[in-house]
Amino acid sequence: MYVNSQNTSKLIEFCRLALTVGHLAPEDVTAISACLTRAKKCRDRRNTIVHAIYTPAESGVGIEAMNSAKKTLGYRVSAISVEEMEALAGEVTVLRSDMFTAGWNARAGKMPGMQPIPPARPGQRVNGVTPSA
């Protein structure tokens, strides 16, 4: 109920909090925590891209007039290349797969017949993306 109204940062923190209840094996908690750390980094990079796209002007009227206030609050805008955007999209695809795998593997031991999903081999494509090392 509380999660529905929260932003991505809060959702990540709620997930971290859920890991503390002690229902998962330590290795599953470690795998899921690593995914949540990567999710936070992706969120931060996504925010950089959004700011680069939607607030490029330093002065103007309307929304652009807020840029001086945004700078005062610590927001910075820098140009982002298409390659950087595509790299982040690839990372999100791999992270999504890794989060599914970590969640599946955390439940696999509790369900008869469920086998854990092995990690991707180096160079193996995941949902059309080859993860970097």
Side-chain angles (χ1 to χ4, degrees):
M1 177 175 74
Y2 296 112
V3 175
N4 289 334
S5 65
Q6 298 301 316
N7 62 27
T8 307
S9 181
K10 286 288 185 191
L11 291 175
I12 291 169
E13 292 309 312
F14 281 140
C15 290
R16 284 194 191 285
L17 182 61
L19 289 176
T20 65
V21 296
H23 296 297
L24 298 175
E27 61 273 9
D28 294 328
V29 171
T30 301
I32 294 170
S33 292
C35 286
L36 292 172
T37 298
R38 288 171 47 206
K40 183 180 182 317
K41 288 179 183 177
C42 284
R43 181 195 67 87
D44 293 342
R45 289 182 51 215
R46 180 218 46 207
N47 288 347
T48 300
I49 290 172
V50 169
H51 291 147
I53 292 171
Y54 292 106
T55 57
E58 296 298 328
S59 61
V61 294
I63 193 77
E64 293 175 354
M66 294 297 294
N67 283 330
S68 58
K70 288 179 183 179
K71 279 186 164 182
T72 302
L73 295 172
Y75 291 107
R76 297 290 182 260
V77 177
S78 57
I80 300 295
S81 70
V82 172
E83 290 79 14
E84 288 173 294
M85 288 185 216
E86 289 174 347
L88 179 60
E91 289 175 35
V92 169
T93 298
V94 173
L95 175 61
R96 200 171 116 212
S97 178
D98 289 349
M99 290 180 88
F100 175 82
T101 299
W104 177 279
N105 289 348
R107 292 186 302 274
K110 298 180 177 93
M111 301 295 291
M114 281 180 66
Q115 298 298 316
I117 300 170
R121 295 179 313 276
Q124 179 182 356
R125 292 180 67 76
V126 176
N127 295 327
V129 178
T130 303
S132 57

PDB file of all heavy atoms in Angstrom, residues 77-115:
ATOM      1  N   VAL A  77      23.306  20.451 -15.257  1.00  0.00           N
ATOM      2  CA  VAL A  77      22.924  19.928 -16.559  1.00  0.00           C
ATOM      3  C   VAL A  77      24.173  19.791 -17.406  1.00  0.00           C
ATOM      4  O   VAL A  77      24.999  20.695 -17.465  1.00  0.00           O
ATOM      5  CB  VAL A  77      21.921  20.870 -17.254  1.00  0.00           C
ATOM      6  CG1 VAL A  77      21.577  20.368 -18.633  1.00  0.00           C
ATOM      7  CG2 VAL A  77      20.668  21.005 -16.414  1.00  0.00           C
ATOM      8  N   SER A  78      24.330  18.646 -18.042  1.00  0.00           N
ATOM      9  CA  SER A  78      25.441  18.461 -18.967  1.00  0.00           C
ATOM     10  C   SER A  78      24.925  17.663 -20.160  1.00  0.00           C
ATOM     11  O   SER A  78      23.948  16.925 -20.058  1.00  0.00           O
ATOM     12  CB  SER A  78      26.603  17.725 -18.297  1.00  0.00           C
ATOM     13  OG  SER A  78      26.161  16.484 -17.806  1.00  0.00           O
ATOM     14  N   ALA A  79      25.561  17.833 -21.279  1.00  0.00           N
ATOM     15  CA  ALA A  79      25.133  17.140 -22.490  1.00  0.00           C
ATOM     16  C   ALA A  79      25.350  15.633 -22.328  1.00  0.00           C
ATOM     17  O   ALA A  79      26.346  15.197 -21.771  1.00  0.00           O
ATOM     18  CB  ALA A  79      25.910  17.665 -23.686  1.00  0.00           C
ATOM     19  N   ILE A  80      24.409  14.869 -22.821  1.00  0.00           N
ATOM     20  CA  ILE A  80      24.473  13.415 -22.765  1.00  0.00           C
ATOM     21  C   ILE A  80      24.408  12.906 -24.203  1.00  0.00           C
ATOM     22  O   ILE A  80      23.553  13.323 -24.979  1.00  0.00           O
ATOM     23  CB  ILE A  80      23.287  12.841 -21.962  1.00  0.00           C
ATOM     24  CG1 ILE A  80      23.277  13.361 -20.536  1.00  0.00           C
ATOM     25  CG2 ILE A  80      23.299  11.327 -21.981  1.00  0.00           C
ATOM     26  CD1 ILE A  80      24.436  12.927 -19.694  1.00  0.00           C
ATOM     27  N   SER A  81      25.291  12.007 -24.531  1.00  0.00           N
ATOM     28  CA  SER A  81      25.318  11.481 -25.899  1.00  0.00           C
ATOM     29  C   SER A  81      24.308  10.348 -26.060  1.00  0.00           C
ATOM     30  O   SER A  81      23.878   9.717 -25.084  1.00  0.00           O
ATOM     31  CB  SER A  81      26.718  10.973 -26.241  1.00  0.00           C
ATOM     32  OG  SER A  81      26.998   9.800 -25.511  1.00  0.00           O
ATOM     33  N   VAL A  82      23.950  10.083 -27.295  1.00  0.00           N
ATOM     34  CA  VAL A  82      23.053   8.975 -27.605  1.00  0.00           C
ATOM     35  C   VAL A  82      23.684   7.662 -27.147  1.00  0.00           C
ATOM     36  O   VAL A  82      22.999   6.776 -26.613  1.00  0.00           O
ATOM     37  CB  VAL A  82      22.740   8.937 -29.120  1.00  0.00           C
ATOM     38  CG1 VAL A  82      21.978   7.678 -29.486  1.00  0.00           C
ATOM     39  CG2 VAL A  82      21.962  10.176 -29.518  1.00  0.00           C
ATOM     40  N   GLU A  83      24.993   7.548 -27.305  1.00  0.00           N
ATOM     41  CA  GLU A  83      25.682   6.325 -26.884  1.00  0.00           C
ATOM     42  C   GLU A  83      25.527   6.094 -25.382  1.00  0.00           C
ATOM     43  O   GLU A  83      25.349   4.959 -24.932  1.00  0.00           O
ATOM     44  CB  GLU A  83      27.162   6.381 -27.260  1.00  0.00           C
ATOM     45  CG  GLU A  83      27.429   6.290 -28.747  1.00  0.00           C
ATOM     46  CD  GLU A  83      27.207   7.613 -29.497  1.00  0.00           C
ATOM     47  OE1 GLU A  83      27.093   8.683 -28.838  1.00  0.00           O
ATOM     48  OE2 GLU A  83      27.124   7.565 -30.721  1.00  0.00           O
ATOM     49  N   GLU A  84      25.611   7.184 -24.588  1.00  0.00           N
ATOM     50  CA  GLU A  84      25.439   7.053 -23.130  1.00  0.00           C
ATOM     51  C   GLU A  84      24.016   6.611 -22.792  1.00  0.00           C
ATOM     52  O   GLU A  84      23.811   5.790 -21.895  1.00  0.00           O
ATOM     53  CB  GLU A  84      25.766   8.365 -22.433  1.00  0.00           C
ATOM     54  CG  GLU A  84      27.250   8.695 -22.427  1.00  0.00           C
ATOM     55  CD  GLU A  84      27.515  10.077 -21.867  1.00  0.00           C
ATOM     56  OE1 GLU A  84      27.107  11.064 -22.507  1.00  0.00           O
ATOM     57  OE2 GLU A  84      28.122  10.150 -20.780  1.00  0.00           O
ATOM     58  N   MET A  85      23.045   7.157 -23.522  1.00  0.00           N
ATOM     59  CA  MET A  85      21.654   6.762 -23.290  1.00  0.00           C
ATOM     60  C   MET A  85      21.449   5.290 -23.644  1.00  0.00           C
ATOM     61  O   MET A  85      20.792   4.551 -22.905  1.00  0.00           O
ATOM     62  CB  MET A  85      20.708   7.628 -24.131  1.00  0.00           C
ATOM     63  CG  MET A  85      20.576   9.036 -23.645  1.00  0.00           C
ATOM     64  SD  MET A  85      19.324   9.874 -24.631  1.00  0.00           S
ATOM     65  CE  MET A  85      20.040  11.501 -24.701  1.00  0.00           C
ATOM     66  N   GLU A  86      22.020   4.869 -24.769  1.00  0.00           N
ATOM     67  CA  GLU A  86      21.885   3.470 -25.184  1.00  0.00           C
ATOM     68  C   GLU A  86      22.589   2.527 -24.216  1.00  0.00           C
ATOM     69  O   GLU A  86      22.092   1.432 -23.929  1.00  0.00           O
ATOM     70  CB  GLU A  86      22.428   3.287 -26.599  1.00  0.00           C
ATOM     71  CG  GLU A  86      21.536   3.916 -27.653  1.00  0.00           C
ATOM     72  CD  GLU A  86      22.131   3.879 -29.049  1.00  0.00           C
ATOM     73  OE1 GLU A  86      23.352   3.591 -29.186  1.00  0.00           O
ATOM     74  OE2 GLU A  86      21.383   4.127 -30.004  1.00  0.00           O
ATOM     75  N   ALA A  87      23.736   2.954 -23.693  1.00  0.00           N
ATOM     76  CA  ALA A  87      24.455   2.131 -22.715  1.00  0.00           C
ATOM     77  C   ALA A  87      23.615   1.947 -21.458  1.00  0.00           C
ATOM     78  O   ALA A  87      23.525   0.833 -20.912  1.00  0.00           O
ATOM     79  CB  ALA A  87      25.804   2.761 -22.377  1.00  0.00           C
ATOM     80  N   LEU A  88      22.968   3.014 -20.995  1.00  0.00           N
ATOM     81  CA  LEU A  88      22.116   2.914 -19.812  1.00  0.00           C
ATOM     82  C   LEU A  88      20.919   2.004 -20.092  1.00  0.00           C
ATOM     83  O   LEU A  88      20.558   1.180 -19.249  1.00  0.00           O
ATOM     84  CB  LEU A  88      21.637   4.293 -19.362  1.00  0.00           C
ATOM     85  CG  LEU A  88      20.708   4.292 -18.144  1.00  0.00           C
ATOM     86  CD1 LEU A  88      21.386   3.684 -16.924  1.00  0.00           C
ATOM     87  CD2 LEU A  88      20.223   5.694 -17.844  1.00  0.00           C
ATOM     88  N   ALA A  89      20.332   2.124 -21.279  1.00  0.00           N
ATOM     89  CA  ALA A  89      19.204   1.250 -21.638  1.00  0.00           C
ATOM     90  C   ALA A  89      19.637  -0.217 -21.595  1.00  0.00           C
ATOM     91  O   ALA A  89      18.897  -1.079 -21.112  1.00  0.00           O
ATOM     92  CB  ALA A  89      18.660   1.618 -23.015  1.00  0.00           C
ATOM     93  N   GLY A  90      20.837  -0.502 -22.091  1.00  0.00           N
ATOM     94  CA  GLY A  90      21.354  -1.872 -22.030  1.00  0.00           C
ATOM     95  C   GLY A  90      21.561  -2.337 -20.605  1.00  0.00           C
ATOM     96  O   GLY A  90      21.223  -3.476 -20.253  1.00  0.00           O
ATOM     97  N   GLU A  91      22.085  -1.453 -19.758  1.00  0.00           N
ATOM     98  CA  GLU A  91      22.294  -1.809 -18.350  1.00  0.00           C
ATOM     99  C   GLU A  91      20.970  -2.089 -17.651  1.00  0.00           C
ATOM    100  O   GLU A  91      20.877  -3.005 -16.824  1.00  0.00           O
ATOM    101  CB  GLU A  91      23.029  -0.681 -17.633  1.00  0.00           C
ATOM    102  CG  GLU A  91      24.478  -0.538 -18.032  1.00  0.00           C
ATOM    103  CD  GLU A  91      25.134   0.668 -17.389  1.00  0.00           C
ATOM    104  OE1 GLU A  91      24.786   0.990 -16.228  1.00  0.00           O
ATOM    105  OE2 GLU A  91      25.976   1.298 -18.049  1.00  0.00           O
ATOM    106  N   VAL A  92      19.941  -1.301 -17.973  1.00  0.00           N
ATOM    107  CA  VAL A  92      18.627  -1.514 -17.366  1.00  0.00           C
ATOM    108  C   VAL A  92      18.067  -2.870 -17.793  1.00  0.00           C
ATOM    109  O   VAL A  92      17.496  -3.602 -16.980  1.00  0.00           O
ATOM    110  CB  VAL A  92      17.656  -0.366 -17.725  1.00  0.00           C
ATOM    111  CG1 VAL A  92      16.223  -0.702 -17.327  1.00  0.00           C
ATOM    112  CG2 VAL A  92      18.102   0.932 -17.055  1.00  0.00           C
ATOM    113  N   THR A  93      18.252  -3.239 -19.059  1.00  0.00           N
ATOM    114  CA  THR A  93      17.778  -4.535 -19.548  1.00  0.00           C
ATOM    115  C   THR A  93      18.455  -5.678 -18.797  1.00  0.00           C
ATOM    116  O   THR A  93      17.795  -6.625 -18.356  1.00  0.00           O
ATOM    117  CB  THR A  93      18.051  -4.657 -21.067  1.00  0.00           C
ATOM    118  OG1 THR A  93      17.324  -3.629 -21.734  1.00  0.00           O
ATOM    119  CG2 THR A  93      17.634  -6.008 -21.595  1.00  0.00           C
ATOM    120  N   VAL A  94      19.766  -5.584 -18.645  1.00  0.00           N
ATOM    121  CA  VAL A  94      20.501  -6.636 -17.937  1.00  0.00           C
ATOM    122  C   VAL A  94      20.105  -6.654 -16.457  1.00  0.00           C
ATOM    123  O   VAL A  94      19.898  -7.717 -15.863  1.00  0.00           O
ATOM    124  CB  VAL A  94      22.023  -6.455 -18.107  1.00  0.00           C
ATOM    125  CG1 VAL A  94      22.796  -7.440 -17.243  1.00  0.00           C
ATOM    126  CG2 VAL A  94      22.407  -6.625 -19.572  1.00  0.00           C
ATOM    127  N   LEU A  95      19.978  -5.471 -15.844  1.00  0.00           N
ATOM    128  CA  LEU A  95      19.587  -5.390 -14.436  1.00  0.00           C
ATOM    129  C   LEU A  95      18.209  -6.012 -14.227  1.00  0.00           C
ATOM    130  O   LEU A  95      17.988  -6.745 -13.258  1.00  0.00           O
ATOM    131  CB  LEU A  95      19.592  -3.931 -13.966  1.00  0.00           C
ATOM    132  CG  LEU A  95      19.098  -3.677 -12.541  1.00  0.00           C
ATOM    133  CD1 LEU A  95      19.968  -4.400 -11.523  1.00  0.00           C
ATOM    134  CD2 LEU A  95      19.060  -2.183 -12.261  1.00  0.00           C
ATOM    135  N   ARG A  96      17.285  -5.746 -15.129  1.00  0.00           N
ATOM    136  CA  ARG A  96      15.954  -6.325 -15.026  1.00  0.00           C
ATOM    137  C   ARG A  96      16.021  -7.851 -15.024  1.00  0.00           C
ATOM    138  O   ARG A  96      15.375  -8.527 -14.215  1.00  0.00           O
ATOM    139  CB  ARG A  96      15.096  -5.818 -16.183  1.00  0.00           C
ATOM    140  CG  ARG A  96      13.638  -5.945 -15.936  1.00  0.00           C
ATOM    141  CD  ARG A  96      12.874  -5.216 -17.017  1.00  0.00           C
ATOM    142  NE  ARG A  96      12.112  -6.233 -17.721  1.00  0.00           N
ATOM    143  CZ  ARG A  96      11.811  -6.217 -18.984  1.00  0.00           C
ATOM    144  NH1 ARG A  96      12.211  -5.257 -19.745  1.00  0.00           N
ATOM    145  NH2 ARG A  96      11.090  -7.178 -19.503  1.00  0.00           N
ATOM    146  N   SER A  97      16.830  -8.396 -15.912  1.00  0.00           N
ATOM    147  CA  SER A  97      17.004  -9.841 -15.974  1.00  0.00           C
ATOM    148  C   SER A  97      17.663 -10.364 -14.700  1.00  0.00           C
ATOM    149  O   SER A  97      17.252 -11.389 -14.145  1.00  0.00           O
ATOM    150  CB  SER A  97      17.845 -10.208 -17.198  1.00  0.00           C
ATOM    151  OG  SER A  97      18.063 -11.584 -17.243  1.00  0.00           O
ATOM    152  N   ASP A  98      18.693  -9.659 -14.226  1.00  0.00           N
ATOM    153  CA  ASP A  98      19.389 -10.078 -13.008  1.00  0.00           C
ATOM    154  C   ASP A  98      18.467 -10.039 -11.790  1.00  0.00           C
ATOM    155  O   ASP A  98      18.538 -10.906 -10.920  1.00  0.00           O
ATOM    156  CB  ASP A  98      20.616  -9.203 -12.761  1.00  0.00           C
ATOM    157  CG  ASP A  98      21.738  -9.470 -13.742  1.00  0.00           C
ATOM    158  OD1 ASP A  98      21.666 -10.474 -14.489  1.00  0.00           O
ATOM    159  OD2 ASP A  98      22.697  -8.665 -13.780  1.00  0.00           O
ATOM    160  N   MET A  99      17.593  -9.019 -11.725  1.00  0.00           N
ATOM    161  CA  MET A  99      16.661  -8.925 -10.595  1.00  0.00           C
ATOM    162  C   MET A  99      15.649 -10.070 -10.638  1.00  0.00           C
ATOM    163  O   MET A  99      15.318 -10.654  -9.599  1.00  0.00           O
ATOM    164  CB  MET A  99      15.965  -7.566 -10.588  1.00  0.00           C
ATOM    165  CG  MET A  99      16.916  -6.440 -10.224  1.00  0.00           C
ATOM    166  SD  MET A  99      16.125  -4.838 -10.197  1.00  0.00           S
ATOM    167  CE  MET A  99      15.554  -4.825  -8.501  1.00  0.00           C
ATOM    168  N   PHE A 100      15.183 -10.398 -11.834  1.00  0.00           N
ATOM    169  CA  PHE A 100      14.261 -11.542 -11.960  1.00  0.00           C
ATOM    170  C   PHE A 100      14.963 -12.816 -11.507  1.00  0.00           C
ATOM    171  O   PHE A 100      14.407 -13.607 -10.738  1.00  0.00           O
ATOM    172  CB  PHE A 100      13.773 -11.689 -13.408  1.00  0.00           C
ATOM    173  CG  PHE A 100      12.933 -12.918 -13.603  1.00  0.00           C
ATOM    174  CD1 PHE A 100      11.590 -12.921 -13.271  1.00  0.00           C
ATOM    175  CD2 PHE A 100      13.507 -14.091 -14.083  1.00  0.00           C
ATOM    176  CE1 PHE A 100      10.823 -14.064 -13.429  1.00  0.00           C
ATOM    177  CE2 PHE A 100      12.747 -15.243 -14.246  1.00  0.00           C
ATOM    178  CZ  PHE A 100      11.396 -15.227 -13.917  1.00  0.00           C
ATOM    179  N   THR A 101      16.191 -13.010 -11.987  1.00  0.00           N
ATOM    180  CA  THR A 101      16.959 -14.214 -11.636  1.00  0.00           C
ATOM    181  C   THR A 101      17.185 -14.292 -10.130  1.00  0.00           C
ATOM    182  O   THR A 101      17.004 -15.353  -9.518  1.00  0.00           O
ATOM    183  CB  THR A 101      18.303 -14.229 -12.391  1.00  0.00           C
ATOM    184  OG1 THR A 101      18.041 -14.244 -13.790  1.00  0.00           O
ATOM    185  CG2 THR A 101      19.140 -15.445 -12.018  1.00  0.00           C
ATOM    186  N   ALA A 102      17.576 -13.171  -9.515  1.00  0.00           N
ATOM    187  CA  ALA A 102      17.832 -13.170  -8.070  1.00  0.00           C
ATOM    188  C   ALA A 102      16.559 -13.493  -7.297  1.00  0.00           C
ATOM    189  O   ALA A 102      16.582 -14.273  -6.339  1.00  0.00           O
ATOM    190  CB  ALA A 102      18.396 -11.813  -7.639  1.00  0.00           C
ATOM    191  N   GLY A 103      15.431 -12.918  -7.709  1.00  0.00           N
ATOM    192  CA  GLY A 103      14.161 -13.210  -7.044  1.00  0.00           C
ATOM    193  C   GLY A 103      13.734 -14.655  -7.234  1.00  0.00           C
ATOM    194  O   GLY A 103      13.280 -15.317  -6.298  1.00  0.00           O
ATOM    195  N   TRP A 104      13.889 -15.150  -8.454  1.00  0.00           N
ATOM    196  CA  TRP A 104      13.547 -16.557  -8.744  1.00  0.00           C
ATOM    197  C   TRP A 104      14.396 -17.486  -7.892  1.00  0.00           C
ATOM    198  O   TRP A 104      13.897 -18.411  -7.263  1.00  0.00           O
ATOM    199  CB  TRP A 104      13.769 -16.840 -10.229  1.00  0.00           C
ATOM    200  CG  TRP A 104      13.519 -18.269 -10.611  1.00  0.00           C
ATOM    201  CD1 TRP A 104      14.371 -19.329 -10.452  1.00  0.00           C
ATOM    202  CD2 TRP A 104      12.334 -18.806 -11.195  1.00  0.00           C
ATOM    203  NE1 TRP A 104      13.804 -20.483 -10.917  1.00  0.00           N
ATOM    204  CE2 TRP A 104      12.548 -20.192 -11.380  1.00  0.00           C
ATOM    205  CE3 TRP A 104      11.123 -18.248 -11.586  1.00  0.00           C
ATOM    206  CZ2 TRP A 104      11.579 -21.016 -11.937  1.00  0.00           C
ATOM    207  CZ3 TRP A 104      10.161 -19.078 -12.144  1.00  0.00           C
ATOM    208  CH2 TRP A 104      10.398 -20.437 -12.310  1.00  0.00           C
ATOM    209  N   ASN A 105      15.711 -17.247  -7.882  1.00  0.00           N
ATOM    210  CA  ASN A 105      16.614 -18.114  -7.145  1.00  0.00           C
ATOM    211  C   ASN A 105      16.354 -18.070  -5.642  1.00  0.00           C
ATOM    212  O   ASN A 105      16.536 -19.070  -4.946  1.00  0.00           O
ATOM    213  CB  ASN A 105      18.067 -17.771  -7.461  1.00  0.00           C
ATOM    214  CG  ASN A 105      18.443 -18.189  -8.874  1.00  0.00           C
ATOM    215  OD1 ASN A 105      17.711 -18.914  -9.545  1.00  0.00           O
ATOM    216  ND2 ASN A 105      19.582 -17.714  -9.334  1.00  0.00           N
ATOM    217  N   ALA A 106      15.910 -16.915  -5.137  1.00  0.00           N
ATOM    218  CA  ALA A 106      15.604 -16.812  -3.708  1.00  0.00           C
ATOM    219  C   ALA A 106      14.398 -17.676  -3.345  1.00  0.00           C
ATOM    220  O   ALA A 106      14.297 -18.175  -2.232  1.00  0.00           O
ATOM    221  CB  ALA A 106      15.341 -15.365  -3.326  1.00  0.00           C
ATOM    222  N   ARG A 107      13.490 -17.892  -4.311  1.00  0.00           N
ATOM    223  CA  ARG A 107      12.303 -18.709  -4.044  1.00  0.00           C
ATOM    224  C   ARG A 107      12.478 -20.157  -4.484  1.00  0.00           C
ATOM    225  O   ARG A 107      11.699 -21.017  -4.086  1.00  0.00           O
ATOM    226  CB  ARG A 107      11.101 -18.106  -4.775  1.00  0.00           C
ATOM    227  CG  ARG A 107      10.663 -16.770  -4.220  1.00  0.00           C
ATOM    228  CD  ARG A 107       9.391 -16.283  -4.867  1.00  0.00           C
ATOM    229  NE  ARG A 107       9.471 -16.136  -6.311  1.00  0.00           N
ATOM    230  CZ  ARG A 107       9.907 -15.059  -6.948  1.00  0.00           C
ATOM    231  NH1 ARG A 107      10.319 -14.022  -6.259  1.00  0.00           N
ATOM    232  NH2 ARG A 107       9.928 -15.012  -8.266  1.00  0.00           N
ATOM    233  N   ALA A 108      13.474 -20.434  -5.323  1.00  0.00           N
ATOM    234  CA  ALA A 108      13.620 -21.772  -5.917  1.00  0.00           C
ATOM    235  C   ALA A 108      13.750 -22.877  -4.877  1.00  0.00           C
ATOM    236  O   ALA A 108      13.221 -23.968  -5.059  1.00  0.00           O
ATOM    237  CB  ALA A 108      14.817 -21.799  -6.867  1.00  0.00           C
ATOM    238  N   GLY A 109      14.449 -22.633  -3.793  1.00  0.00           N
ATOM    239  CA  GLY A 109      14.647 -23.666  -2.782  1.00  0.00           C
ATOM    240  C   GLY A 109      13.393 -23.989  -2.004  1.00  0.00           C
ATOM    241  O   GLY A 109      13.310 -25.025  -1.346  1.00  0.00           O
ATOM    242  N   LYS A 110      12.385 -23.121  -2.056  1.00  0.00           N
ATOM    243  CA  LYS A 110      11.177 -23.316  -1.266  1.00  0.00           C
ATOM    244  C   LYS A 110      10.063 -24.016  -2.040  1.00  0.00           C
ATOM    245  O   LYS A 110       9.049 -24.373  -1.472  1.00  0.00           O
ATOM    246  CB  LYS A 110      10.675 -21.955  -0.779  1.00  0.00           C
ATOM    247  CG  LYS A 110      11.662 -21.249   0.133  1.00  0.00           C
ATOM    248  CD  LYS A 110      11.104 -19.907   0.574  1.00  0.00           C
ATOM    249  CE  LYS A 110      12.039 -19.229   1.533  1.00  0.00           C
ATOM    250  NZ  LYS A 110      12.967 -18.350   0.948  1.00  0.00           N
ATOM    251  N   MET A 111      10.238 -24.158  -3.344  1.00  0.00           N
ATOM    252  CA  MET A 111       9.188 -24.735  -4.175  1.00  0.00           C
ATOM    253  C   MET A 111       9.681 -26.036  -4.801  1.00  0.00           C
ATOM    254  O   MET A 111      10.732 -26.049  -5.436  1.00  0.00           O
ATOM    255  CB  MET A 111       8.782 -23.765  -5.280  1.00  0.00           C
ATOM    256  CG  MET A 111       8.261 -22.433  -4.773  1.00  0.00           C
ATOM    257  SD  MET A 111       6.736 -22.568  -3.853  1.00  0.00           S
ATOM    258  CE  MET A 111       5.617 -23.005  -5.148  1.00  0.00           C
ATOM    259  N   PRO A 112       8.942 -27.120  -4.654  1.00  0.00           N
ATOM    260  CA  PRO A 112       9.360 -28.393  -5.245  1.00  0.00           C
ATOM    261  C   PRO A 112       9.445 -28.280  -6.770  1.00  0.00           C
ATOM    262  O   PRO A 112       8.564 -27.735  -7.412  1.00  0.00           O
ATOM    263  CB  PRO A 112       8.266 -29.374  -4.843  1.00  0.00           C
ATOM    264  CG  PRO A 112       7.380 -28.674  -3.893  1.00  0.00           C
ATOM    265  CD  PRO A 112       7.682 -27.221  -3.944  1.00  0.00           C
ATOM    266  N   GLY A 113      10.533 -28.783  -7.315  1.00  0.00           N
ATOM    267  CA  GLY A 113      10.708 -28.798  -8.761  1.00  0.00           C
ATOM    268  C   GLY A 113      11.281 -27.528  -9.358  1.00  0.00           C
ATOM    269  O   GLY A 113      11.613 -27.508 -10.538  1.00  0.00           O
ATOM    270  N   MET A 114      11.379 -26.443  -8.587  1.00  0.00           N
ATOM    271  CA  MET A 114      11.955 -25.208  -9.113  1.00  0.00           C
ATOM    272  C   MET A 114      13.473 -25.286  -9.039  1.00  0.00           C
ATOM    273  O   MET A 114      14.032 -25.568  -7.979  1.00  0.00           O
ATOM    274  CB  MET A 114      11.481 -23.982  -8.317  1.00  0.00           C
ATOM    275  CG  MET A 114      10.100 -23.507  -8.676  1.00  0.00           C
ATOM    276  SD  MET A 114       9.585 -22.055  -7.724  1.00  0.00           S
ATOM    277  CE  MET A 114      10.699 -20.794  -8.271  1.00  0.00           C
ATOM    278  N   GLN A 115      14.111 -25.062 -10.142  1.00  0.00           N
ATOM    279  CA  GLN A 115      15.567 -25.069 -10.183  1.00  0.00           C
ATOM    280  C   GLN A 115      16.071 -23.629 -10.263  1.00  0.00           C
ATOM    281  O   GLN A 115      15.463 -22.798 -10.924  1.00  0.00           O
ATOM    282  CB  GLN A 115      16.057 -25.839 -11.412  1.00  0.00           C
ATOM    283  CG  GLN A 115      15.654 -27.299 -11.414  1.00  0.00           C
ATOM    284  CD  GLN A 115      16.252 -28.043 -10.236  1.00  0.00           C
ATOM    285  OE1 GLN A 115      17.424 -27.884  -9.914  1.00  0.00           O
ATOM    286  NE2 GLN A 115      15.436 -28.851  -9.571  1.00  0.00           N
TER     287      GLN A 115
END
